Amino acid sequence: MDLIALARQMGHAIQEEKAYKDLQIAKTTADNDKELQDLIGEFNLKRMAINNEACKEDRDEEKLRNLNTEMRDIYTKIMSNEHMTAYNNAKTDLDTVMQRIIAIITQSADGEDPDT
């Protein structure tokens, strides 16, 4: 069997992994959380306002400080949302699995024993 076919099989296996499924559920839940999505939208608007103000030749430093404070407050609310927390935890779990997979493949390509 060629390596591309094996990689495709691995892709299917990853999508059957519990960590992957948990991430998909957490993502859907977060996407469906109207309060969370509103906060994310508000965060993005504040970020754009900061960028716009920062690019002005005669920018208002006080306004920038206030916008930054508001953006940090919104970020805190986003990160304390239970669905965002669940999403971040699920993403960390899948990232850990993926790092292990990548390490095995990379070390194998360097001649190491794939079983160690």
Side-chain angles (χ1 to χ4, degrees), residues 23 25-33 35-41 43 74-92:
L23 178 60
I25 291 167
K27 180 182 181 310
T28 299
T29 303
D31 287 348
N32 291 330
D33 181 335
E35 180 183 335
L36 176 59
Q37 294 308 311
D38 288 347
L39 285 168
I40 291 170
F43 177 86
I74 295 166
Y75 180 80
T76 299
K77 289 177 186 175
I78 290 170
M79 298 313 290
S80 65
N81 177 286
E82 67 178 311
H83 297 137
M84 180 57 81
T85 301
Y87 172 82
N88 285 333
N89 291 340
K91 178 143 180 28
T92 298

Side-chain angles (χ1 to χ4, degrees), residues 8 13 25 40 47 58 67 71-73 79 92-93:
R8 290 183 197 285
I25 291 167
I40 291 170
R47 190 177 55 193
D58 61 339
L67 287 168
M71 188 176 76
R72 281 193 299 275
D73 290 345
M79 298 313 290
T92 298
D93 291 347

Side-chain angles (χ1 to χ4, degrees), residues 12-85:
H12 289 289
I14 289 168
Q15 291 177 348
E16 292 301 318
E17 177 69 26
K18 180 182 181 330
Y20 174 86
K21 290 178 180 181
D22 289 348
L23 178 60
Q24 297 311 305
I25 291 167
K27 180 182 181 310
T28 299
T29 303
D31 287 348
N32 291 330
D33 181 335
K34 181 174 177 1
E35 180 183 335
L36 176 59
Q37 294 308 311
D38 288 347
L39 285 168
I40 291 170
E42 191 177 339
F43 177 86
N44 289 330
L45 289 174
K46 291 292 180 194
R47 190 177 55 193
M48 288 183 342
I50 289 169
N51 287 338
N52 289 338
E53 187 63 33
C55 289
K56 290 181 181 176
E57 247 181 64
D58 61 339
R59 69 178 165 247
D60 182 340
E61 294 299 328
E62 170 106 10
K63 184 176 181 179
L64 273 174
R65 276 192 299 278
N66 290 338
L67 287 168
N68 271 308
T69 299
E70 291 169 9
M71 188 176 76
R72 281 193 299 275
D73 290 345
I74 295 166
Y75 180 80
T76 299
K77 289 177 186 175
I78 290 170
M79 298 313 290
S80 65
N81 177 286
E82 67 178 311
H83 297 137
M84 180 57 81
T85 301

